[in-house]
C-alpha cells in the first residue's frame, strides 16, 4: 500500500492529450517576483468549497502580489496588492460584520501586518524598485484581499482593471476615493486581440513578455496574467491565476495530470498569520513524503476519481457566475498540464514552501524543478492519516 522507494509519476489513468496553448513566439521576458503581502485569511472551508474533504475544515491562506519588471522598457507592474492595513475603511460597511481581526466569531478572520507599499519601500534598495517606480497596478478583481490601498501609490501609477469591473462594482464595493486623481484603465473586450489557451489575451507591453487575460466567473472582469519567465533556450511562463480558483483542489487532479500511483510532497506545514513568518523563503527540508495515489483516490477524494478535481467549482454567490467560473477553471487546467507553465493562484499557501519569494525572482523555476515540487503540495491540507488509516505515510530522506 505504501510505496516509498520507487520514483513517482506513473499516473493512475491514461492522461488525456493536452491541448495546445498557442502562445505567440517572442524573445522578451519579464522578471516575476512573488510577494507575500503579509495578509492572511481564515474561514470555514465549507463557506467557499464543497464537497467536504477529510481534515480540511479550515481554509487558511495568504494573499500574494506579483511584481513584474520589463527591463527593456524600464517598466514595473504589480499584479494585485493583497489587503490594506486599514481594511475597515476599505470594506463596504455591509461586509465588515463578517470580518474580524480580533479573534471574534466572525466568519472570516484576517491578519494584516503591512501594506504592500511598506514592503516595497523598506527593501533598502535591494531591488531598486519602490512604490514610486510602479507604473501600473493590475487588480485581478476588486475584492478587498486583492486591491490593497491604491491611495498610497503616487498619482502617476495607473490602475488597470478588467472589462465591466468599474461599471459593476464602483460605489457599491469600490470607494471612489480609492481612485481619486489616478488614471484608471478599464480594458475593453476589443483590447484582448488574441486568444491564449482559450483566454482572451492582451499583450500588455507589446513585446510578448506579459499578457493580461480575461478570466471571468469569480467576478465580473476577473483577470489573470501570463508572464514569460524565460525565452532561451525555450520559453517558460508563470500563470498568475488570481482567484480563478481559491484552492488547488479545484483544478487538480485533472484529466491531463491524473493522480499518480505515488504522490510525492514535502513535509511542510502552514499556519495562520504570525506563525507563518517563520517560514523560510526557500524550503530547507530534505524530507519527502510519499503517499499511494490509489488510496488517496479511494479514501480521500470525494468523487473517488483520479482525474477530477477534489473540489467542485463553487456556485453563486461564492462566485459571480458559475458557468463562467467552470469555463475559466477548465482553461486553467490546460495551462497547469503544460510543463512550461507554472500556475500560481493568489491564495496557494504551498508557494511559500517551494518558490523563492521577493526579493528574489522566480524566473528559473523550470530549471529548478519547482513545478513538480509544487504540484501535489496542497494535499497537506487534507487529513490523509485519518482518511487512510494509520500509518498511511512514510518519510524517506533524500
Ligand atoms: Zn481573494
Amino acid at each position: 500500500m505504501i510505496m516509498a522507494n520507487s520514483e513517482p509519476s506513473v499516473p493512475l489513468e491514461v492522461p488525456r492529450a493536452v491541448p495546445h496553448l498557442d502562445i505567440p513566439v517572442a524573445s522578451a521576458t519579464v522578471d516575476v517576483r512573488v510577494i507575500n503581502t503579509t495578509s492572511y485569511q481564515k474561514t470555514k472551508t465549507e463557506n467557499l468549497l464543497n464537497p467536504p474533504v477529510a481534515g480540511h475544515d479550515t481554509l487558511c491562506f495568504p494573499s500574494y502580489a506579483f511584481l513584474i519588471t520589463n527591463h527593456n522598457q524600464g517598466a514595473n507592474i504589480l499584479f494585485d496588492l493583497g489587503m490594506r492595513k486599514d481594511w475597515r475603511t476599505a470594506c463596504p460597511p455591509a461586509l465588515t460584520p463578517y470580518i474580524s481581526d480580533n479573534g471574534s466569531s466572525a466568519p472570516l478572520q484576517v491578519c494584516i501586518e503591512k501594506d504592500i507599499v511598506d514592503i516595497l519601500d523598506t527593501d533598502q534598495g535591494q531591488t531598486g524598485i519602490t512604490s514610486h517606480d510602479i507604473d501600473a497596478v493590475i487588480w485581478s478583481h476588486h475584492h478587498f484581499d486583492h486591491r490593497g490601498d491604491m491611495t498610497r501609490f503616487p498619482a502617476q501609477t495607473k490602475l488597470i482593471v478588467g472589462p465591466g469591473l468599474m461599471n459593476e462594482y464602483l460605489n457599491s464595493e469600490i470607494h471612489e476615493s480609492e481612485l481619486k486623481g489616478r488614471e484608471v484603465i478599464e480594458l475593453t473586450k476589443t483590447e484582448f486581440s488574441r486568444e491564449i489557451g482559450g483566454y482572451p489575451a492582451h499583450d500588455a507591453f507589446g513585446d510578448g513578455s506579459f499578457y493580461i487575460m480575461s478570466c471571468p466567473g469569480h467576478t465580473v472582469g476577473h483577470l489573470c496574467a501570463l508572464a514569460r519567465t524565460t525565452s532561451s533556450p525555450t520559453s517558460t511562463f508563470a500563470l498568475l491565476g488570481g482567484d480563478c480558483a481559491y484552492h488547488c483542489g479545484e483544478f487538480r487532479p485533472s484529466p491531463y495530470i491524473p493522480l499518480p500511483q505515488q504522490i510525492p510532497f514535502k513535509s511542510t506545514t502552514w499556519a495562520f498569520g504570525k506563525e507563518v513568518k517563520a517560514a523560510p523563503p526557500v524550503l530547507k527540508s530534505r524530507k519527502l513524503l510519499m503517499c499511494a495515489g490509489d488510496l488517496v483516490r479511494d479514501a480521500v477524494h470525494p468523487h473517488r476519481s483520479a482525474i477530477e478535481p477534489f473540489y467542485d467549482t463553487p456556485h453563486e454567490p461564492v462566485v459571480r457566475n458559475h458557468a463562467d467560473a467552470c469555463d475559466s477553471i477548465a482553461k486553467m487546467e490546460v495551462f497547469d498540464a503544460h510543463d512550461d507553465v507554472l500556475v500560481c493562484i493568489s491564495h496557494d499557501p504551498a508557494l511559500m514552501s517551494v518558490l523563492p519569494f521577493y526579493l528574489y525572482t522566480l524566473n528559473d523555476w523550470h530549471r529548478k524543478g519547482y513545478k513538480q515540487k509544487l504540484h501535489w503540495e496542497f494535499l497537506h491540507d487534507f487529513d490523509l492519516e485519518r482518511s487512510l488509516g494509520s500509518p498511511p505515510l512514510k518519510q524517506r530522506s533524500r
Side-chain angles (χ1 to χ4, degrees):
M1 281 166 47
I2 306 302
M3 292 166 283
N5 295 317
S6 55
E7 284 303 311
S9 83
V10 178
L12 286 174
E13 292 194 27
V14 177
R16 188 187 296 173
V18 184
H20 290 292
L21 294 173
D22 294 322
I23 306 175
V25 175
S27 59
T29 61
V30 286
D31 280 352
V32 181
R33 292 178 170 91
V34 52
I35 300 174
N36 173 12
T37 62
T38 68
S39 51
Y40 312 98
Q41 296 171 77
K42 184 159 73 174
T43 189
K44 283 184 182 168
T45 304
E46 65 184 13
N47 292 338
L48 299 175
L49 298 174
N50 277 290
V53 180
H56 196 203
D57 303 326
T58 305
L59 258 184
C60 203
F61 51 90
S63 293
Y64 301 129
F66 295 85
L67 175 58
I68 308 299
T69 301
N70 183 317
H71 288 287
N72 289 339
Q73 300 190 14
N76 298 296
I77 285 179
L78 280 170
F79 183 85
D80 279 340
L81 301 177
M83 287 188 261
R84 59 192 286 174
K85 270 200 81 140
D86 59 347
W87 59 273
R88 286 173 197 280
T89 57
C91 287
L95 207 58
T96 47
Y98 299 97
I99 304 173
S100 161
D101 58 2
N102 59 15
S104 80
S105 59
L108 181 67
Q109 303 289 320
V110 299
C111 170
I112 305 159
E113 295 172 23
K114 292 179 184 173
D115 283 332
I116 192 167
V117 164
D118 294 323
I119 295 172
L120 292 172
D121 293 350
T122 54
D123 84 343
Q124 296 168 337
Q126 294 183 79
T127 63
I129 302 165
T130 71
S131 59
H132 288 263
D133 302 305
I134 303 299
D135 299 281
V137 168
I138 300 169
W139 283 350
S140 67
H141 61 296
H142 69 288
H143 286 158
F144 83 108
D145 56 329
H146 296 259
R147 72 178 196 267
D149 186 353
M150 280 304 299
T151 66
R152 297 203 56 199
F153 285 86
Q156 68 267 22
T157 303
K158 299 180 181 74
L159 174 64
I160 299 172
V161 299
L165 185 124
M166 285 299 169
N167 188 42
E168 194 70 29
Y169 303 113
L170 184 60
N171 295 325
S172 60
E173 300 192 41
I174 304 165
H175 289 224
E176 210 157 349
S177 60
E178 294 175 57
L179 314 175
K180 203 171 168 202
R182 186 177 312 284
E183 183 182 356
V184 179
I185 301 169
E186 183 175 293
L187 296 170
T188 60
K189 288 187 176 171
T190 55
E191 286 173 281
F192 294 84
S193 54
R194 64 174 78 240
E195 270 200 2
I196 298 178
Y199 291 128
H202 167 69
D203 188 349
F205 293 113
D207 61 3
S209 65
F210 187 72
Y211 296 96
I212 301 172
M213 305 195 294
S214 176
C215 176
H218 181 68
T219 65
V220 171
H222 184 279
L223 299 171
C224 59
L226 187 70
R228 192 180 305 266
T229 43
T230 63
S231 60
S232 174
T234 58
S235 281
T236 60
F237 304 89
L239 176 72
L240 317 182
D243 279 3
C244 181
Y246 282 114
H247 189 270
C248 292
E250 290 174 75
F251 57 94
R252 295 175 191 157
S254 73
Y256 315 109
I257 305 187
L259 283 173
Q261 290 184 7
Q262 300 162 70
I263 305 173
F265 55 102
K266 286 182 170 173
S267 54
T268 56
T269 53
W270 160 254
F272 178 65
K274 290 187 164 40
E275 298 155 68
V276 85
K277 282 204 299 187
V282 180
L283 187 73
K284 301 284 196 303
S285 170
R286 291 287 176 271
K287 296 287 187 190
L288 191 69
L289 298 173
M290 299 294 287
C291 187
D294 54 350
L295 290 182
V296 172
R297 176 192 62 198
D298 298 337
V300 182
H301 198 302
H303 301 308
R304 310 289 179 252
S305 172
I307 59 170
E308 290 173 45
F310 285 85
Y311 286 118
D312 300 340
T313 301
H315 284 260
E316 300 85 354
V318 174
V319 297
R320 177 56 180 263
N321 183 300
H322 175 72
D324 286 350
C326 289
D327 186 54
S328 289
I329 288 183
K331 289 168 184 167
M332 200 165 73
E333 280 182 3
V334 176
F335 280 88
D336 196 42
H338 278 263
D339 173 66
D340 54 0
V341 180
L342 180 74
V343 171
C344 303
I345 55 173
S346 290
H347 302 308
D348 178 8
L351 299 192
M352 274 202 255
S353 65
V354 175
L355 297 182
F357 266 58
Y358 176 86
L359 311 158
Y360 302 100
T361 75
L362 54 70
N363 286 58
D364 63 350
W365 65 267
H366 192 269
R367 193 174 61 79
K368 297 270 180 71
Y370 292 147
K371 183 181 175 82
Q372 286 69 31
K373 289 174 182 165
L374 195 59
H375 196 83
W376 300 111
E377 279 294 294
F378 70 94
L379 293 174
H380 274 299
D381 291 348
F382 305 150
D383 189 346
L384 299 179
E385 296 212 15
R386 194 172 81 192
S387 303
L388 303 180
S390 184
L393 303 172
K394 282 187 178 175
Q395 288 190 354
R396 66 173 183 172
S397 296
R398 269 208 148 171

